[in-house]
Amino acid sequence: MILKGTFLHAPTLGELEIRPNAYLVTKNTAVVGLYDTLPPEYEGQPVTDWGDALIIPAFTDLHIHAPQIINRGIGYDKELLPWLETYTFPAEARFADPAFADRAWKAFLNHLWAVGTLRFSAFATIHKEAAWRLMELTEQSGLRGLIGKVNMDRNSPDSLREDTHASLADTEELICRSREELRHTRFILTPRFVPSTTPELMDGLGQLGEKYDLPIQSHLSENPSEVAWVAQLHPDIPTYTQVYEHFGLLRQDKTIMAHAIHLSDGEKDLLKNKGVMLAHCALSNTNLSSGIMPLRQDLGLGLRCCVASDVAGGHTASMARSVAATVQTSKLNGLNHPDQSPLSLAEAFYLATRGAGSFFGDVGAFLPGFEFDALVLRPSTLDALVERTPFERLEQFLYDGDDRNIAARYCAGSLVEQPFPELELA
Ligand SMILES: [Zn+2]
């Protein structure tokens, strides 16, 4: 496949490469190269000419709660723990109904497609049937997803509190079934967070991680009340991060921890050594008054970080908005910490594309050998009134872009159409 257009990507943190009127060649799922003039060996082959469109890497969202898509924008009068009880748990309990789950998952996948998130790692719910259905639908969608059945067996409402052994058995069943029946959609272990999982359950999940060599996702140090609660629940383990380590849940280079706001220096050393991906959720951290993650400091320490939406702590699945919010919160943080310079838009864009994409391997930039994931952006009528540089067009898309201006989406080398057209996007 050969595409022509203006390509813009962030191959490293802080670097933007802009290639106007260039040619990108792909073979199977991956990029062969990006050229200013088409190499002679490709002459005569069909070229998809996107004209004046701007072509950027598609987004990867490594922290999103699929069932909470129905709660976007609701309940930000509360902080994390009462917000979970009041809004989140009742919404998740509805996914015991397979017909409801089926409709919600299709709408969720349509929605991710619409906003340009073509790879993701999602929490499903505790329900085995619903989690499996999300895996199947993701496989059909053309998007690439890691999906986890949530595990919860303590400090949870009756409707969402599992029996420990049943939780482990259901999890193992889904691991095996997804390996046998799915090609692209993979299972990710998903203990909700320490307060809702007993030591026995965490221990069992750690063993499943080893047995099947699985990735893991969870939450870490999001809110001060939560951190204090974990200390109470595990008085013999010095820090929140070490609780996960104790139960084998910090798997080397295969773990995503969301938020990671209130951490000690020792915890950061441990997270760095384990290669844990820290998902920065600027919208959620603001909506639930959780705090500001010191992203500049963490990047300086060499921690792996990415930008994520955390729907529905985050009020939109749009990664463009999460990128903008990352810069905004970083600026506010800089007011109180002049030694921590705010992130640039180019840096935040990197964290939502190449940074997050790295969890899937060579993903998130237009480099040779990388999986070809891209969004083709047409300027809106409003934005076309004034001639803009490619970078200015990226800025306007990230801050106030409209997904109706995404003219095409490519994931792993293939054009992806709306996954479930029987459900209207609006
Ligand atoms: Zn979350």
Side-chain angles (χ1 to χ4, degrees):
M1 189 169 66
I2 305 172
L3 306 181
K4 186 166 186 274
T6 294
F7 293 85
L8 184 158
H9 67 144
T12 60
L13 184 70
E15 179 200 354
L16 282 184
E17 187 186 17
I18 298 168
R19 301 283 290 273
N21 301 312
Y23 296 86
L24 186 137
V25 178
T26 69
K27 187 175 178 196
N28 301 324
T29 64
V31 176
V32 175
L34 189 54
Y35 310 97
D36 293 326
T37 53
L38 193 63
E41 66 260 40
Y42 301 114
E43 267 171 33
Q45 294 195 23
V47 174
T48 305
D49 188 346
W50 285 107
D52 63 355
L54 183 68
I55 304 175
I56 65 172
F59 296 112
T60 294
D61 188 350
L62 291 184
H63 188 67
I64 185 163
H65 297 263
Q68 294 177 34
I69 197 78
I70 61 175
N71 268 10
R72 297 170 348 278
I74 288 174
Y76 304 139
D77 57 325
K78 298 205 172 0
E79 289 194 13
L80 176 66
L81 301 175
W83 173 80
L84 285 169
E85 294 285 343
T86 311
Y87 300 108
T88 308
F89 292 153
E92 293 194 11
R94 298 201 60 173
F95 287 76
D97 172 1
F100 180 83
D102 189 77
R103 280 199 309 278
W105 295 151
K106 286 176 179 167
F108 168 76
L109 292 161
N110 272 347
H111 193 71
L112 287 194
W113 174 87
V115 297
T117 297
L118 305 187
R119 293 187 194 245
F120 60 93
S121 185
F123 284 54
T125 60
I126 62 162
H127 311 100
K128 182 176 70 178
E129 292 76 15
W132 173 250
R133 188 65 183 138
L134 179 57
M135 296 195 85
E136 276 186 320
L137 292 170
T138 300
E139 184 82 3
Q140 291 169 25
S141 72
L143 311 186
R144 294 285 194 268
L146 295 162
I147 311 284
K149 185 204 99 63
V150 173
N151 304 100
M152 302 165 70
D153 69 340
R154 67 172 169 180
N155 298 316
S156 312
D158 292 345
S159 58
L160 292 178
R161 192 170 51 251
E162 299 175 283
D163 167 79
T164 308
H165 294 285
S167 180
L168 290 168
D170 286 354
T171 302
E172 189 161 18
E173 188 183 323
L174 289 172
I175 295 164
C176 296
R177 190 169 179 192
S178 57
R179 288 184 164 209
E180 283 163 17
E181 298 183 30
L182 306 178
R183 276 178 66 210
H184 300 300
T185 310
R186 288 184 293 142
F187 191 86
I188 180 165
L189 289 171
T190 307
R192 174 163 226 121
F193 68 155
V194 168
S196 60
T197 40
T198 59
E200 191 184 1
L201 180 54
M202 286 192 278
D203 191 52
L205 292 172
Q207 289 179 34
L208 287 176
E210 282 306 302
K211 183 174 173 186
Y212 296 101
D213 190 20
L214 292 171
I216 296 183
Q217 60 183 351
S218 195
H219 297 92
L220 173 65
S221 291
E222 175 173 356
N223 169 293
S225 308
E226 170 214 13
V227 176
W229 193 14
V230 170
Q232 249 177 37
L233 291 166
H234 296 276
D236 301 332
I237 302 178
T239 65
Y240 195 161
T241 304
Q242 283 167 286
V243 177
Y244 286 122
E245 186 201 21
H246 179 86
F247 293 105
L249 295 172
L250 295 184
R251 304 207 64 236
Q252 188 71 43
D253 301 324
K254 290 189 174 176
T255 305
I256 303 164
M257 285 289 164
H259 305 286
I261 300 170
H262 311 282
L263 297 172
S264 67
D265 292 346
E267 288 179 282
K268 291 188 184 191
D269 283 344
L270 178 56
L271 292 164
K272 183 182 172 183
N273 292 337
K274 292 283 185 181
V276 174
M277 177 68 84
L278 304 182
H280 173 52
C281 309
L283 293 171
S284 171
N285 295 346
T286 310
N287 289 332
L288 301 181
S289 305
S290 298
I292 301 180
M293 179 187 180
L295 195 50
R296 171 65 69 202
Q297 208 177 45
D298 292 344
L299 289 167
L301 291 170
L303 288 156
R304 282 178 91 190
C305 300
C306 66
V307 164
S309 73
D310 192 26
V311 160
H315 54 266
T316 168
S318 164
M319 287 292 284
R321 275 340 148 256
S322 278
V323 169
T326 296
V327 174
Q328 291 170 315
T329 51
S330 174
K331 286 178 176 173
L332 292 178
N333 184 57
L335 295 177
N336 290 332
H337 304 279
D339 56 313
Q340 296 174 32
S341 60
L343 262 76
S344 68
L345 198 66
E347 288 174 311
F349 178 63
Y350 167 87
L351 295 178
T353 52
R354 174 68 193 125
S358 69
F359 203 74
F360 284 85
D362 289 338
V363 168
F366 301 137
L367 298 172
F370 273 51
E371 296 278 292
F372 179 62
D373 290 9
L375 306 178
V376 178
L377 309 179
R378 287 239 167 84
S380 68
T381 310
L382 191 60
D383 295 341
L385 291 173
V386 178
E387 196 169 327
R388 298 290 184 189
T389 65
F391 178 66
E392 287 172 337
R393 290 169 63 184
L394 176 73
E395 284 182 290
Q396 288 196 313
F397 175 70
L398 294 173
Y399 276 97
D400 192 32
D402 186 319
D403 47 55
R404 286 172 295 184
N405 293 114
I406 306 178
R409 297 149 177 87
Y410 294 90
C411 184
S414 297
L415 192 65
V416 185
E417 301 291 353
Q418 183 185 330
F420 303 100
E422 68 273 24
L423 295 185
E424 279 187 42
L425 283 176

